[in-house]
Structure formats: structure tokens, C-alpha cells
Amino acid sequence: MVLAELDDIRPLFACPRCRSGLEADPAGAGAGAGLGAGAGAGAGAGAGALRCAAPDCAYHASPAFPDVAGAPVLVDFEHSVVRREAVAALASPAHVHRGADALPTPLRRIAKPPNRIAAINIDLLLRALPGPAPTLLVVGGATVGNGVEAVYRDTRVRVIGFDIVTSPATQFVADAHRIPLRTSSVDAVLVQAVLEHVLDPAQVVAEIHRVLRDDGLVYAETPFMQQVHAGAHDFTRFTASGHRYLFRRFEEIGAGPVSGPGTQVLWSVDHLVRGLTRSALAGRATRAALFWLRGLDHLVPPDFAQDDASAVYFLGRRRDREMTEAEIIAYYRGAQGSS
């Protein structure tokens, strides 16, 4: 896995409250420093606590931003689900949602097959990235997403990842509502299966727009018809049109279903069995046994799939002009026509 070194991305850091630069906290490592293990591969050791460089910012005074397992925790604690008093727990692997990974190995690939849509779009994104060393930010990157593995294999790309927990695939902890990076500091953003888990998706997309350079790229995948899959941290779903309007300040390169109604039925059967048996494992096993339903996705015409997708994707390029209300109504590509 190729990740940028923490020292290399420090100049990109910004205060999540006021967006000023950051500096070392002279008071020391701060609460939670050095706790746990398993910091990001690029995080290094003994990074030390940071604070905002602006004297009038609330995060200039100590304790400001602690570090956990060598990863800076760059969170505006007053406006986040991440609490300062719970910082030590951010290093716990219990926070990572495993889903199909909990199944025995032979069933894992059946329950969670390769995401070919993501792989195709990530290839397009990587080919479109400018320069010899472009920077790509992974929002919610505690686990490597299905179909996006090429991002972490491309030695040309400087990968930066964050989540609200530590992980070998991230260098720092942050809340996506207030991304602690400077404006116009990255060339691309990957946000896969994340926007359903944030309280305000529009604010997160606005932050993605802010940190992207002019003509920067974004690739997003978000559920449409899926059951709750992260308990208290699951909030939102999007139709294809709703997802497009969420990214209304981006020019579309490609958009559509990630998976169709066959996959959506699998989700429903999985959760029906869970409810009947009170067993998540039984639900996943049933889903694996009925894997062939996923093949029906290929028999559904694109316009019908648009209305029944399990999840949708958007690949786009940053722009300043915003999509209008009339344009989003005209954008609809489903099978239901106009009423």
C-alpha cells in the first residue's frame, strides 16, 4: 500500500475551525497522545500534538489537537460526533465495520464480489490526474474500498486518507464535515460508501469542493436502496437524481447505478433473515447462498436500474457554476417518464 508520509502532508494541514495553518503544540503531546497501536502506514511515530497557529482561535490554546497511535486527531470537537474525552477509543478496531469480511473465506467473495464499476471509474480518474505526483484524498478511508485498490498501488499518486478512527490506510483522524486541509490542496477525492454515514452530506461535499484544486476530480459511491448497515452511524440514502444534485457544483464525467435491483433484493433478503433469526451471520449466509440474484442486474435496462439501484456513483470535475433546479429535473434518466 502506497501512502504519503505524514511529514510530507503536514504543510497541507489546516485548522478544522478557522482553516489557519497548524503548528506544534509546545505544551506537549496532549490528551490521548501515543495511545493504542496500528497508526496509518504513513503516520510515522511520535508525531506529537498540534495546535492552530492563529492566536485568536479556540484551538490555539492547549490542549488543542492530540494524537492517537501516532495519528493527529484534527477534529473540531465542539461540532463533531467525535468527542475529545473518547479520543483514546479511536484506535480500537471495533469501530471498523467489517460486513462481509466476517464470513468464512470461501463465502466472502460470493457475498461481496469485486466492484467492477468502481474499478472502471477509478481507472478513468487515475488516467485523468495531472502531473507527475498528484494528490488524492480518501474521505472515510479506514478500510480500502471494494474496487478502488488501484489507488493504493499507483506509485505516481500521493494518497492521503482519513477517517474518524485510526487505520493502517489513514494518516490522521478527522471529521469530513470540517476537512483539516488547506483550500485547493488536492487533485482528486475518493468518497466511497461514506456519505450515508455523515450527518450533513451537503456540507461534506462542499468541503470536498473546497479542498479540490480547479478542475479537480471526485469519485463517489452512495447507497440508494439499502438497509441500515452501520447502526447509529447510518443516516441518508440518495436516488440517482438526488446524488447528482448533491454534486451540483461538479461537471459530470459519468454517473449511474453501481448495482441494480437484483443486488437490492439480496440486501432485503439478508435483512429479512436477520430479523427472523436475530442473527446477522445467518442473513449474510443467506445472501451468499442467493448470490445468483445479483446476476439479474445485467438483465435490467439502464433506465429501470436507475430507479431501482442498490447504490449509485458519480464521477465528476470541480467547477464553480451550480446546477439549477430546472437542470436537475431535466436530468432524470429513469423509466417513469414525466408526470
Side-chain angles (χ1 to χ4, degrees):
M1 181 183 297
V2 180
L3 293 176
E5 294 293 331
L6 181 58
D7 287 344
D8 292 338
I9 63 177
R10 278 178 179 269
L12 303 182
F13 283 156
C15 174
R17 172 69 68 87
C18 72
R19 296 177 182 166
S20 299
L22 301 183
E23 62 185 17
D25 188 343
L35 293 173
L50 298 170
R51 71 175 185 178
C52 179
D56 58 345
C57 179
Y59 288 98
H60 180 73
S62 299
F65 305 113
D67 74 86
V68 173
V73 182
L74 306 178
V75 173
D76 184 353
F77 297 103
E78 294 180 25
H79 301 93
S80 176
V81 297
V82 180
R83 314 311 302 168
R84 183 185 291 277
E85 58 270 21
V87 159
L90 300 180
S92 170
H95 284 268
V96 179
H97 176 66
R98 298 187 181 279
D101 294 338
L103 286 171
T105 301
L107 294 178
R108 197 174 302 159
R109 191 174 178 86
I110 296 175
K112 189 176 180 181
N115 185 339
R116 294 184 175 84
I117 296 294
I120 290 169
N121 285 305
I122 288 299
D123 181 65
L124 291 173
L125 183 147
L126 292 175
R127 289 173 183 268
L129 284 175
T135 300
L136 185 148
L137 174 67
V138 184
V139 176
T143 57
V144 176
N146 187 2
V148 305
E149 296 84 359
V151 164
Y152 299 89
R153 295 194 298 263
D154 194 327
T155 57
R156 181 178 69 102
V157 179
R158 185 168 65 157
V159 178
I160 302 173
F162 76 86
D163 208 317
I164 61 170
V165 293
T166 62
S167 162
T170 59
Q171 297 98 328
F172 58 96
V173 174
D175 186 321
H177 295 87
R178 297 169 183 263
I179 299 176
L181 295 179
R182 295 181 183 273
T183 299
S184 303
S185 58
V186 302
D187 298 292
V189 173
L190 168 61
V191 54
Q192 184 189 44
V194 170
L195 293 174
E196 72 271 29
H197 301 306
V198 302
L199 288 172
D200 190 343
Q203 182 177 336
V204 173
V205 173
E207 279 290 272
I208 290 171
H209 189 275
R210 179 185 66 81
V211 301
L212 278 171
R213 299 188 174 101
D214 291 343
D215 295 326
L217 300 166
V218 64
Y219 180 67
E221 289 183 3
T222 312
F224 170 23
M225 299 183 73
Q226 291 181 10
Q227 280 72 16
V228 171
H229 53 265
H233 294 272
D234 197 340
F235 306 105
T236 310
R237 299 292 184 268
F238 287 94
T239 65
S241 292
H243 201 237
R244 178 65 186 94
Y245 195 64
L246 183 64
F247 289 92
R248 57 188 173 273
R249 295 183 66 193
F250 290 82
E251 174 189 358
E252 180 180 312
I253 297 173
V258 176
S259 50
T263 301
Q264 186 268 124
V265 169
L266 278 177
W267 273 85
S268 295
V269 170
D270 176 346
H271 284 262
L272 173 62
V273 172
R274 292 187 193 203
L276 294 173
T277 64
R278 281 64 166 174
S279 169
L281 183 59
R284 294 190 191 111
T286 302
R287 184 174 177 174
L290 297 176
F291 71 94
W292 53 269
L293 286 171
R294 191 178 290 108
L296 299 179
D297 287 350
H298 303 291
L299 304 179
V300 177
D303 53 348
F304 282 87
Q306 194 87 356
D307 292 335
D308 303 318
S310 175
V312 294
Y313 77 88
F314 177 79
L315 174 63
R317 189 180 299 277
R318 184 188 187 277
R319 66 179 181 185
D320 291 324
R321 188 183 76 82
E322 189 170 297
M323 194 177 201
T324 68
E325 290 83 352
E327 286 175 325
I328 190 58
I329 297 302
Y331 175 83
Y332 175 69
R333 301 169 180 173
Q336 297 183 35
S338 58
S339 56

